[in-house]
Amino acid sequence: MSIHHITTPLDSAILDSKAQYVFYHKKVDFALKELIVAVQQNNLCTQQEIVFFKQYADLLLYSIEAMRIKYMYDEEDNMKIDVTDSGFPNYLEFRYLYNDLSLRHNYINKLKDVSQLQEEFLDQLLRVKEPVRRDKLFQAASIVYYTSVEQKYIFNRFVQGKIIKAPEGSQAEYMTSWSFYDVSLNRPFICYMYFDYDGKDPLKDKEDIYEVLSKVADRQMDLDTMAYGIDRRLKRVLPKHIKWLDVGAFHNVFAKDENELTHTILEAITKKEVPLEAYALSFKVHEVMSGSTFQEGGFFNKQVLQNWSPVTKQKYVFAPHRIIQLLYNKNPEIMNKLAKPPFQISDLKIDKV
């Protein structure tokens, strides 16, 4: 099926052709790159936060590209786009990909020799003068997939960043970042923590810090709850500022959720008021700051903990100009509640086949 056959009902959330895989990957790649630039231009993140944001986005894009290679000629399996408030691949797709690559050596030994496959392609195209069969294309794609895709670059459920010195002017001496793919929402979150350390070098405790973050800060929850969990479990770490970015939903023709903005775009695509490439991105920023401290525990195991400020919650929308107009016309109550008017990003234009 070509991209002209992309369906929009809520029960259809599967990519089932090479053209659709390519189209979807281009949409996600373009939208995330536009988002990174716009977030930086509008000062929603610091320069260092943007660096980390781009690194996590690169892992996400690498993983989606790996899915494209894996599935585009596979007649048995198809990549699934999440049916909740997401528009991104279902988390299980990342899990399958990661587990599959752990067995790559078993598969590589079973793959046909490249030179033999090339000869079969040339014979089919030049002598028989017919298109290469789909099963042969799948064999070629499998060779590319198993010999070039690296498991370590697959976006996992939790991805830990390094501990570094916080940039000048930060609320604390150190910072770290991490990202997680929330299993229930199927969206990526990117988190930053600025903290002081009761000692000379936090890298001495980095394994404990990383372990705690992976256990208590690996899913969507109230940010003050996350902050308290981190603070309570790391006695020598003094968090001062925690921030997360909720990337999504990605409102586009492949999204099959119940989000009102998604439905507005899908309806407009169905009526041919906007092209298939139409898209928008919701984006949320939550932040919490520490103020005073208090002590918890008995006489022999007292621990100084942070009193946290109320969580600051900001919601934004990024979209091309025509889509911004559409959303204002159809969903004014949502658009008027944004932290700032929608940020304009570029239109996506893809040559259709």
Side-chain angles (χ1 to χ4, degrees), residues 52 56-57 59 155-161 177-181 187-191 217-218 245:
F52 290 141
Y56 294 121
L59 291 178
F155 196 100
N156 219 322
R157 192 177 70 82
F158 183 88
V159 183
Q160 178 65 59
S177 68
W178 66 98
S179 182
F180 60 85
Y181 206 82
R187 295 201 304 265
F189 287 70
I190 297 157
C191 306
D218 65 337
L245 314 179

Side-chain angles (χ1 to χ4, degrees), residues 314-316 328 331-340:
Q314 307 284 347
K315 183 175 181 179
Y316 307 94
Y328 262 122
N331 309 100
E333 69 288 348
I334 295 177
M335 305 303 283
N336 290 329
K337 291 180 180 178
L338 298 175
K340 291 185 178 181

Side-chain angles (χ1 to χ4, degrees), residues 100-112:
D100 186 49
L101 288 169
S102 67
L103 303 172
R104 64 186 299 173
H105 294 295
N106 296 342
Y107 291 114
I108 286 176
N109 295 331
K110 298 177 182 178
L111 295 175
K112 183 171 287 190

Side-chain angles (χ1 to χ4, degrees), residues 201-269:
D201 184 5
L203 293 179
K204 293 181 180 179
D205 284 336
K206 69 176 183 179
E207 297 305 324
D208 289 337
I209 294 172
Y210 295 162
E211 182 179 2
V212 167
L213 292 178
S214 69
K215 288 183 177 179
V216 305
D218 65 337
R219 66 190 70 88
Q220 192 273 342
M221 66 182 77
D222 291 336
L223 193 55
D224 50 358
T225 301
M226 179 189 289
Y228 175 75
I230 295 170
D231 192 20
R232 190 171 184 275
R233 287 167 176 77
L234 293 170
K235 294 185 178 181
R236 303 183 70 180
V237 171
L238 308 172
K240 297 299 178 183
H241 177 199
I242 298 179
K243 175 179 181 178
W244 85 22
L245 314 179
D246 177 358
V247 183
F250 179 32
H251 314 286
N252 69 100
V253 70
F254 292 106
K256 310 300 175 185
D257 54 53
E258 298 181 2
N259 188 291
E260 291 185 50
L261 301 187
T262 300
H263 273 261
T264 296
I265 292 175
L266 291 179
E267 183 180 359
I269 291 174

Side-chain angles (χ1 to χ4, degrees), residues 5-204:
H5 295 95
I6 294 171
T7 56
T8 55
L10 292 180
D11 61 353
S12 178
I14 296 176
L15 305 189
D16 60 1
S17 74
K18 174 186 175 183
Q20 291 185 16
Y21 283 115
V22 172
F23 187 62
Y24 179 73
H25 180 266
K26 286 182 178 180
K27 283 177 73 72
V28 179
D29 183 82
F30 184 86
L32 283 180
K33 289 175 180 176
E34 284 287 308
L35 176 66
I36 291 169
V37 172
V39 166
Q40 183 175 16
Q41 289 177 339
N42 292 283
N43 299 313
L44 302 185
C45 286
T46 67
Q47 187 62 42
Q48 185 60 61
E49 290 169 355
I50 286 292
V51 171
F52 290 141
F53 187 0
K54 186 178 184 303
Q55 290 173 352
Y56 294 121
D58 285 344
L59 291 178
L60 181 62
L61 292 171
Y62 181 90
S63 303
I64 295 174
E65 170 65 3
M67 291 177 198
R68 182 185 72 82
I69 296 171
K70 176 177 174 57
Y71 284 130
M72 66 181 176
Y73 295 114
D74 191 344
E75 294 183 341
E76 296 182 0
D77 294 309
N78 296 293
M79 191 174 93
K80 298 174 181 63
I81 306 302
D82 187 65
V83 294
T84 60
D85 195 359
S86 171
F88 290 104
N90 188 288
Y91 164 70
L92 290 176
E93 294 293 344
F94 294 93
R95 190 73 252 163
Y96 293 152
L97 203 63
Y98 188 86
N99 292 341
D100 186 49
L101 288 169
S102 67
L103 303 172
R104 64 186 299 173
H105 294 295
N106 296 342
Y107 291 114
I108 286 176
N109 295 331
K110 298 177 182 178
L111 295 175
K112 183 171 287 190
D113 183 74
V114 175
S115 59
Q116 180 183 348
L117 201 58
Q118 288 176 334
E119 290 180 6
E120 292 178 6
F121 276 30
L122 291 173
D123 182 69
Q124 185 74 8
L125 293 170
L126 300 179
R127 186 183 65 81
V128 182
K129 298 187 184 303
E130 291 184 357
V132 177
R133 296 202 320 266
R134 190 174 180 85
D135 64 312
K136 296 294 183 182
L137 292 173
F138 178 61
Q139 289 180 13
S142 296
I143 292 173
V144 174
Y145 170 71
Y146 285 114
T147 58
S148 64
V149 177
E150 296 285 345
Q151 185 191 52
K152 63 183 179 180
Y153 297 130
I154 299 302
F155 196 100
N156 219 322
R157 192 177 70 82
F158 183 88
V159 183
Q160 178 65 59
K162 295 180 179 180
I163 296 172
I164 65 170
K165 279 278 190 178
E168 187 176 348
S170 300
Q171 299 86 340
E173 187 175 359
Y174 303 98
M175 76 172 294
T176 189
S177 68
W178 66 98
S179 182
F180 60 85
Y181 206 82
D182 187 271
V183 177
S184 62
L185 298 174
N186 284 292
R187 295 201 304 265
F189 287 70
I190 297 157
C191 306
Y192 310 100
M193 179 174 74
Y194 296 82
F195 65 97
D196 289 331
Y197 180 73
D198 184 12
K200 292 184 178 180
D201 184 5
L203 293 179
K204 293 181 180 179

